[in-house]
Amino acid sequence: MASSSSSCSSFTVICCLLLFTAMASAQLTANFYSQTCPTAMSIIRGGVSTAIARERRMGASLLRLHFHDCFVNGCDASVLLDDSATITGEKTAGPNVNSIRGFEVVDTIKSQLESSCPGVVSCADLLAVAARDATVQLGGQTWNVVLGRRDSTTASLSAANTDLPSPFLNLPQLISEFANKGFSAQEMVALTGAHEIGQARCGVFKERIYNETNIDPSFALAMQRNCPRTGGDANLAPLDSTTPTVFDNAFFRNLVNRRGLLHSDQQIYSGGSTNAQVDRYRLNSAAFFRDFANAMVKMGNLSPLTGTNGQIRTNCRRPN
């Protein structure tokens, strides 16, 4: 009997340990803050709306911040960390320096969250929700953002330099880069549709508008007016020249007309395996919206910190 009792006791302990482990690595849920910070979603939505009303380009910047966060060691808000004596952040990585923006908007929203619910809402979740709300604000489709991410205490400059897709990649390279993160070629094309909004610097599309042949000549000439052969690398042009601040499907129509601004954008409609999908999206905006939303949900699930991993930063720019 004693042996049987001991076995039951051991079994109970094991069950408790398994339950604790499951809780520590809890999956993301849609209602994560419903009890602890019921105003969180409205605070983020209001902050995003205010920022976009002030500058419509900010919608694209907030969406891009989430992407640049998740593709580097998962969705952990590492992209927001400033350099310090102990941390080399990701903001000075090649794909980020003088490019990613919106940090002050994040700071403002985070401050409001801390006033309402101190130490509850993570910066990583803030980025995920802001990306969705920015897309909706500019005309795109909504999606359910699952929540419960926690924030990293470190960053990786080297990973930011290697894991973020370059605007100079060819189609096979693009497919490979996204496959490394678990995305299919179809999901890669859908996510590239984020370039419905936002702008790019002259330095990253100069080679295309002066030296590539798979480009509409009148479009190239128009882009050259604000992007000279020498200098002007910081000058901006819209990624979607048709409706630059509206999230629709004009980006894909532009590609068919050889009016993609970036080399990598035009590559997804260059006679390769993704042509048919671009054609589908340009003819069916609902299909694009649906696929984009699904791909964004999947991206938001890239290696999040949950449970007891990471922390809830009170200031998104530095660990607690």
Side-chain angles (χ1 to χ4, degrees):
M1 291 294 293
S3 175
S4 175
S5 175
S6 176
S7 296
C8 288
S9 177
S10 298
F11 179 76
T12 301
V13 171
I14 291 172
C15 287
C16 288
L17 286 172
L18 288 173
L19 178 61
F20 177 80
T21 301
M23 292 174 64
S25 59
Q27 295 301 301
L28 306 179
T29 61
N31 59 354
F32 190 82
Y33 298 113
S34 60
Q35 299 298 317
T36 56
C37 191
T39 58
M41 298 302 100
S42 61
I43 289 173
I44 297 173
R45 183 169 58 251
V48 169
S49 179
T50 298
I52 291 176
R54 192 175 297 125
E55 181 198 9
R56 285 184 68 83
R57 180 191 171 201
M58 188 54 69
S61 299
L62 293 172
L63 176 58
R64 190 162 180 251
L65 269 182
H66 181 45
F67 174 79
H68 280 232
D69 179 35
C70 292
F71 259 58
V72 181
N73 295 331
C75 307
D76 60 3
S78 60
V79 72
L80 301 177
L81 289 170
D82 285 341
D83 288 352
S84 70
T86 57
I87 294 175
T88 301
E90 298 164 13
K91 293 178 179 179
T92 57
N96 292 336
V97 66
N98 299 320
S99 180
I100 54 171
R101 59 197 294 273
F103 302 110
E104 294 78 11
V105 173
V106 172
D107 292 341
T108 298
I109 296 173
K110 179 60 172 172
S111 177
Q112 293 168 350
L113 289 169
E114 287 298 308
S115 295
S116 182
C117 317
V120 173
V121 181
S122 69
C123 301
D125 277 347
L126 191 169
L127 287 181
V129 176
R132 188 270 312 275
D133 291 351
T135 302
V136 172
Q137 183 79 14
L138 295 179
Q141 177 174 307
T142 190
W143 61 86
N144 291 324
V145 178
V146 287
L147 303 162
R149 300 167 190 80
R150 289 167 67 84
D151 301 325
S152 67
T153 57
T154 59
S156 177
L157 180 67
S158 60
N161 276 318
T162 58
D163 289 7
L164 290 167
S166 162
F168 307 108
L169 296 181
N170 294 324
L171 180 60
Q173 296 169 312
L174 286 168
I175 293 173
S176 176
E177 289 277 311
F178 278 80
N180 288 340
K181 299 295 180 182
F183 293 101
S184 66
Q186 176 177 319
E187 289 167 332
M188 179 273 290
V189 173
L191 288 173
T192 303
H195 291 173
E196 288 288 349
I197 51 178
Q199 301 187 48
R201 292 171 297 151
C202 166
V204 301
F205 61 82
K206 182 176 294 187
E207 175 70 19
R208 170 157 168 73
I209 63 173
Y210 283 102
N211 297 321
E212 294 190 9
T213 57
N214 187 22
I215 187 169
D216 174 64
S218 63
F219 174 71
L221 184 61
M223 293 301 102
Q224 289 169 11
R225 294 191 184 106
N226 194 42
C227 184
R229 284 185 182 273
T230 303
D233 284 3
N235 294 350
L236 297 170
L239 290 160
D240 169 9
S241 57
T242 306
T243 53
T245 58
V246 178
F247 198 97
D248 53 18
N249 66 337
F251 170 77
F252 297 104
R253 296 196 298 272
N254 290 339
L255 295 183
V256 173
N257 293 321
R258 299 185 301 156
R259 297 172 69 89
L261 184 65
L262 303 181
H263 174 83
S264 57
D265 286 349
Q266 194 61 56
Q267 281 292 296
I268 66 173
Y269 198 85
S270 57
S273 59
T274 52
N275 268 31
Q277 190 178 346
V278 171
D279 280 325
R280 179 166 172 259
Y281 287 164
R282 74 178 172 88
L283 295 170
N284 187 342
S285 61
F288 164 54
F289 281 5
R290 181 180 61 251
D291 288 354
F292 180 79
N294 289 336
M296 286 298 295
V297 170
K298 182 173 178 177
M299 189 181 78
N301 282 326
L302 285 177
S303 305
L305 298 173
T306 59
T308 57
N309 296 316
Q311 61 180 216
I312 307 299
R313 286 188 227 137
T314 56
N315 182 330
C316 291
R317 293 175 179 266
R318 59 176 181 265
N320 296 337

